[in-house]
Amino acid sequence: MSETNETDAVSTIITQDEARADTQQMNMIQAINSALDVMMDRDPDVVVMGEDVGYFGGVFRATAGLQQKYGKNRVFDTPITECGIIGVAVGMGAYGLRPVPEIQFADYIYPALDQLVSEAARLRYRSAGEFISPMTVRSPFGGGIFGGQTHSQSPEGIFTHVSGVKTVIPSTPYDAKGLLIAAIEDNDPTIFFEPKRIYNGPFDGHYDTPAKSWAGHPDAQVPTGYYRIPLGKARTARAGGALTILCYGTMVHVVENTVAAMGVDAEIVDLRTLVPLDIEAIEESVRKTGRCLIVHEATRTSGFGAELLAQVQERCFYYLEAPIERVTGFDTPYPHSLEWAYFPGPVRIREAITKIMKD
């Protein structure tokens, strides 16, 4: 896609009201499947590839029905080799295709790091714009499903460190479809992490209560056709004036529930994309509230929350009325038997909010 076509694509963004004129209730899996279907129908250069994405339709069924509709040349299974999957996708992008490879779990993306970092992220720069790598790497990530240390990791911080790669994490079915379409249309490689704990419904952090579905949730009403949400634009999940909470993915819902239970006038900023980061929205919120809490499930040391903390400190220092706090995972492998001690749940979030509001 040329720069002109990128501009044309942006001009086709429709308003939220227009987009929701013809909607259908979807969970996040269905929204992702719909996004892939829409883009494969619109653009014959879009191809889907990965382990079990074809005949089986993916381990979480996100690609169900696509091979039957578009054929084995556009939706195909690969060998179990993440390095090979991404390496082939780099070549496809340079050739002119728009591959959407799936890494079955984010925990298995590490063998593909060399191709992602050394090849995909550098191709446009290294070739002076002659070649691009317009791939979108989809992968379920995060815990909350008793997946243990090899099916629960949140490695987003690794990719936000790499120049040339965009990192996207939706928190609702509506955002998942709009952001995935925008990522597929983008000319740069994008890591699209899907919080698997909220595939089928929002999670309030209380693991010992019945699971909820997306049924009846306003953000589960998803347009059946094409729409896109620009990368780099955060959304205000909850307006407030006493405290800013920065979060993304599953944590948006855990934070919303905790804040509602506490009765705190907190503003919740759902980042949506980590790179590019909507620093203007963050800065505006923190300057208004004077307090900031950062919540993410990834490990604490060098997690993306550290970058957020630095950005807020640099830009909003004279507006802060209390030290910035972080609630994160711990610097250990994700424990199976102690999952809910590791998971940043309502208890730890409530303690952090109480501490900030006292200062």
Side-chain angles (χ1 to χ4, degrees), residues 96-110:
L97 299 176
R98 289 189 175 271
V100 186
E102 177 186 294
I103 301 298
Q104 201 165 79
F105 288 89
D107 312 64
Y108 302 137
I109 204 168
Y110 303 120

Side-chain angles (χ1 to χ4, degrees), residues 166-203:
K166 296 176 180 177
T167 306
V168 181
I169 303 176
S171 67
T172 68
Y174 179 82
D175 280 5
K177 181 173 179 179
L179 290 168
L180 182 53
I181 287 174
I184 294 171
E185 290 183 331
D186 198 274
N187 278 345
D188 290 315
T190 301
I191 307 298
F192 193 90
F193 280 136
E194 302 163 5
K196 56 183 176 286
R197 185 60 181 83
I198 57 173
Y199 265 155
N200 293 302
F203 180 52

